[in-house]
Amino acid sequence: MTAPLSWVVGAGGLLGSHVTRTLAQEGVVWTPELAVPWDQPEGADLLGRAARAFLKAADGGPWQVAWCAGAGVTGTDRASLAAEVVLFEQLLTTLARSGAGREGALFFASSAGGVYAGAAEAPFTETHPVAPLSPYGEAKVALEGAATAWGEQTGVPVLLGRIANLYGPGQNLAKPQGLISQLCRAQLLRQPVSMFVPLDTVRDYLFAPDCAELIARSLGRLRAEGGVHVKVLASQQAVTIGALVGELRRVFKSAPRIVYGSSSTSHFHARDLRLRSQVWTDLDRRPVTPLPVGIKATLLGLGRMLGEGRLA
C-alpha cells in the first residue's frame, strides 16, 4: 500500500515537530514553500494557497493533514481564538474546493483540558459531553464541530484527538503553559515559578513523542475505517501536582522554587482531569515514557538550549 503524503500544519510547535518526525519515518512529509504568518492578515490566503499546492503534490494519491497548530492557551482572549478558527475553516474550505475526498484523512489536535474543564465524573472518555469553561475550550469545541461537519460533507475521514497535558523537548516557553517545561526552565535559570492551582489538582501528562506515535497509529486506523472519530490521547495515568513536584525534586536533586498565588484564569482550570480512552483501545496498549524519564529528557533539551544561549 502506498504511504500517504503528509502535511503537518504547525510543524514548528511541540506536538507538530514530533508528529513530523514520526510521520517522516513512514513516508513523505510535505512542506509548503512559504511559512504561514499566523498573526498576519495574509495568513489565511497563504494557508489556502498551501492547501491547493499540497493536494496538487498528492496528485490524486493518498494524503493526510495533521492540524497541530494553535497559539491559544487557557487564558487567550476571544479575538485571538476567533482568528484561529477562521484559519482552520479556510483550510477546510480550500481542501474541499480543491477536490479533497476519501483518499485523504484529517487529524485535528484538540485539548482534553479545554473541552472537559467543566465536566463531571472523571475519568473523562470520548462519550462524555464536552463542557468548556474558557474561551479557549469553547474555541476547541467550535473547531471540532467544523472538522466534523466538513468530514461528513466531504467524506474525508476525520479524527479529533483530545490530548492530555503535553510536555517534552521543544515546547514554546513564551506561552504561559507547559508546567513541566516551565519548572525545568526555572530550575536551569534558578528562578521561581508561580503556581495558580492547588497541589491536589489531578492531571494526565503525556510525553510528546508518545503522543506523536499514537497519532500516527490512529491515522492508520482512521484511513482503514473511514468516518469521523473522537479519541482521547493520554497516558491514562493520573498525577497530582503534588506528586509531580515530588518527581521534579528527585530529578533536580533539589526542591523546585515555587511561588503559590492566584490568577484571574484559575477558575478555567478543572480540579480533576483524569482521562480514559474507549476508542481503538488496542492502540493504547503500548509502553509509555515514565514521567521521570520524560522530565529528564525535557530538562536535558532545555539545558542544551541554555548552553547555546537560546534559553531566556
Side-chain angles (χ1 to χ4, degrees), residues 135-160:
Y136 172 72
E138 292 168 359
K140 290 300 182 186
V141 171
L143 289 162
E144 286 189 6
T148 298
W150 180 82
E152 292 171 347
Q153 291 165 4
T154 62
V156 177
V158 171
L159 175 62
L160 310 176

Side-chain angles (χ1 to χ4, degrees), residues 179-180 183 195 205 239-250 256 291 295:
L179 180 58
I180 290 175
L183 285 166
M195 184 88 72
Y205 294 98
V239 180
T240 65
I241 299 296
L244 173 63
V245 171
E247 291 289 358
L248 289 162
R249 183 183 294 113
R250 282 186 282 275
L291 188 57
I295 291 172

